[in-house]
Amino acid sequence: MDARLRLLVAELLDLSPDEVLPDLRRADTPTWDSLNHLRLITAVENEFGVSFTMEQIAELATPQELQRAIDACAGASAAPAGA
């Protein structure tokens, strides 16, 4: 997991970076409520220069899923035109 992502999740969810494991679940993290989820998504989009669909936003529930979505968006923007 990207160190920047780990720090963003830790900061926005009031956790220590050591607590931010790839399989940290939104449903099991009291500070990862709906408002903080939107704050986290916005921070991730700004930090990594990506944009998620509403469907993706609703489904992202772990840092690992966030990382995969970031990687997928970054890969899609790096693809040559017409690819």
Side-chain angles (χ1 to χ4, degrees), residues 9-58:
V9 172
E11 180 181 332
L12 290 166
L13 300 183
D14 197 28
L15 302 169
S16 78
D18 294 338
E19 293 176 287
V20 181
L21 302 174
D23 61 349
L24 176 77
R25 299 218 43 88
R26 179 178 175 197
D28 299 331
T29 309
T31 56
W32 198 342
D33 58 17
S34 58
L35 181 57
N36 279 339
H37 184 66
L38 292 177
R39 288 179 175 157
L40 178 59
I41 294 299
T42 300
V44 166
E45 288 179 330
N46 289 332
E47 178 69 24
F48 292 93
V50 296
S51 183
F52 301 123
T53 66
M54 292 303 290
E55 184 177 309
Q56 286 174 308
I57 291 169

